[in-house]
Amino acid sequence: MRRAVCPGSYDPPTNGHLDILERASGLFDEVCVAVLINKSKQGLFAVEERMEMLREISAHLGNVRIDSWHGLLVDYCRQHDIQAIVKGLRAISDFDYELQMAQMNQQLSGVETLFMPTKPPNSFLSSSLVKEVATYGGDVAHLLPEPVHKRLVRRLSQ
Ligand code: PNS
């Protein structure tokens, strides 16, 4: 069984995330989407809400499983017999930090990281920017899967 993990904060999941999940799902027997806490980021959605959104938007992918994890990603991989971490790369600005994490994870446990280039229309997209634009009333409907956009609008109106 070839198993990969797509880890991230997913606060909230964007079209860019969904594109990577769809493409990873075609390459592996099983893809685990792990919602992890990034200590350097303040969350808008609770982990359970992020998982619900991910379940909704990946319902058409039969081999994708949604999960969450507190702790080191390599421990998650070890516990779930995962051989590869799949990360989307938007631009060279992502590369430095992603490379550092990939090398650290490889050195800690031997798990490999595969970088998947985002599709060009998603290359400027991030959850943080989407939240910022939406907070000030900008239209982000075309950047998010519909159920995610609905939840974001509802959350920001509260
Ligand atoms: O979506 P993000 O915020 O860019 O995802 C970053 C994330 C959550 C994947 C990264 O911070 C992570 O792997 N955190 C888990 C803790 C861990 O393993 N830290 C050491 C990384 S070398």
Side-chain angles (χ1 to χ4, degrees), residues 1 8 12 21 32-33 35 41 50 55-57 59 61 69 78 90 99-100 108 119 126-127 133 148-150:
M1 185 97 164
L21 300 186
C32 305
V33 183
V35 178
K41 292 181 184 171
R50 300 178 208 179
R55 267 185 221 110
E56 279 180 80
I57 66 174
L61 304 170
W69 183 254
R78 216 175 273 136
R90 289 166 296 196
L99 179 67
Q100 213 180 346
L108 284 173
K119 289 192 178 152
S126 75
S127 301
V133 171
V148 175
H149 181 246
K150 276 191 183 150

Side-chain angles (χ1 to χ4, degrees), residues 6-11 17 34-41 69-75 87 90 97-98 100-105 108 127:
C6 291
S9 307
Y10 298 108
D11 186 40
H17 289 127
V35 178
L36 286 130
I37 302 302
N38 186 336
K39 285 185 189 293
S40 64
K41 292 181 184 171
W69 183 254
H70 292 264
L72 285 178
L73 179 58
V74 291
D75 289 336
K87 287 285 196 88
R90 289 166 296 196
Y97 185 50
E98 291 295 345
Q100 213 180 346
M101 285 199 287
Q103 290 172 328
M104 176 63 89
N105 286 331
L108 284 173
S127 301

Side-chain angles (χ1 to χ4, degrees), residues 5-156:
V5 63
C6 291
S9 307
Y10 298 108
D11 186 40
T14 67
N15 285 347
H17 289 127
L18 182 55
D19 170 53
I20 299 296
L21 300 186
E22 286 174 340
R23 288 157 65 197
S25 132
L27 294 174
F28 290 87
D29 297 316
E30 185 179 67
V31 173
C32 305
V33 183
V35 178
L36 286 130
I37 302 302
N38 186 336
K39 285 185 189 293
S40 64
K41 292 181 184 171
Q42 170 91 26
L44 177 65
F45 292 98
V47 169
E48 192 49 52
E49 293 176 295
R50 300 178 208 179
M51 291 173 71
E52 279 170 20
M53 289 187 269
L54 285 162
R55 267 185 221 110
E56 279 180 80
I57 66 174
S58 67
H60 60 296
L61 304 170
N63 61 345
V64 168
R65 198 165 57 78
I66 312 300
D67 206 354
S68 67
W69 183 254
H70 292 264
L72 285 178
L73 179 58
V74 291
D75 289 336
Y76 181 85
C77 293
R78 216 175 273 136
Q79 202 167 104
H80 294 85
D81 193 22
I82 288 169
Q83 304 88 24
I85 299 167
V86 174
K87 287 285 196 88
L89 270 194
R90 289 166 296 196
I92 199 72
S93 50
D94 280 343
F95 186 70
D96 276 352
Y97 185 50
E98 291 295 345
L99 179 67
Q100 213 180 346
M101 285 199 287
Q103 290 172 328
M104 176 63 89
N105 286 331
Q106 210 281 334
Q107 192 260 322
L108 284 173
S109 71
V111 70
E112 300 291 356
T113 297
L114 306 178
F115 293 131
M116 189 177 277
T118 58
K119 289 192 178 152
N122 298 328
S123 64
F124 64 94
L125 199 46
S126 75
S127 301
S128 313
L129 263 189
V130 164
K131 282 184 286 189
E132 186 176 327
V133 171
T135 301
Y136 293 111
D139 181 10
V140 293
H142 56 300
L143 305 175
L144 300 171
E146 199 192 337
V148 175
H149 181 246
K150 276 191 183 150
R151 277 192 198 235
L152 180 64
V153 170
R154 211 180 314 137
R155 175 56 46 87
L156 292 177

